[in-house]
Amino acid sequence: MSRIAHIALVVRDYDEAIAFYVGKLGFTLVADEYQAEQDKRWVLVSPPGAPEAATTILLARASKPEQEAFIGNQAGGRVFLFLATDDFDRDYAAFTVAGVEWVRPPAEQPYGKVAVFADLYGNFWDLVEFK
């Protein structure tokens, strides 16, 4: 074992999730393939500039009520994912212009500069430029 290939993010709708991650955050749409045998899509996104072998996010549409209950709360109200940047101010400004909802404003921490935002479903993310 050498790496985590994908992380599943439970979403309500494929297209609205793609619109947020690709349209607002500027992520790359890596795959969007229909899987007829399961009547679902295989939708992968990754941050722009991520290496080909980097971990991707699988946008996994909830298909049962039990799964729907976790949309927007995959980490029980904690920060769920951490998006590293090499230019915090650039990305913070771009996300703000795109209408991203900031939950906590930028702050200098011992490990770097960070702010918390919510995705379209309410999952919390750190945008962080590590020192």
Side-chain angles (χ1 to χ4, degrees):
M1 293 179 278
S2 63
R3 66 183 180 91
I4 296 173
H6 314 292
I7 296 173
L9 179 64
V10 181
V11 302
R12 180 177 33 249
D13 178 83
Y14 295 116
D15 293 322
E16 72 181 6
I18 291 169
F20 178 82
Y21 286 100
V22 174
K24 281 195 174 188
L25 299 187
F27 279 34
T28 300
L29 182 61
V30 176
D32 186 354
E33 303 161 3
Y34 181 65
Q35 297 182 334
E37 65 280 358
Q38 297 177 359
D39 190 32
K40 59 173 94 171
R41 287 159 60 185
W42 181 255
V43 179
L44 298 174
V45 297
S46 68
E52 190 173 316
T55 302
T56 59
I57 297 173
L58 171 66
L59 301 177
R61 182 179 47 87
S63 59
K64 303 175 192 175
E66 298 85 31
Q67 295 170 357
E68 290 174 2
F70 290 96
I71 295 171
N73 192 26
Q74 290 201 201
R78 293 186 56 108
V79 170
F80 176 53
L81 295 167
F82 299 77
L83 184 58
T85 177
D86 62 352
D87 188 334
F88 180 91
D89 295 328
R90 174 199 65 212
D91 293 335
Y92 181 83
F95 286 7
T96 300
V97 168
V100 169
E101 175 194 350
W102 295 102
V103 177
R104 273 184 248 141
E108 291 286 342
Q109 299 295 339
Y111 54 85
K113 193 170 187 179
V114 63
V116 179
F117 68 92
D119 70 12
L120 74 163
Y121 300 114
N123 293 299
F124 294 153
W125 288 66
D126 270 5
L127 175 66
V128 59
E129 182 178 359
F130 292 104
K131 287 185 179 178

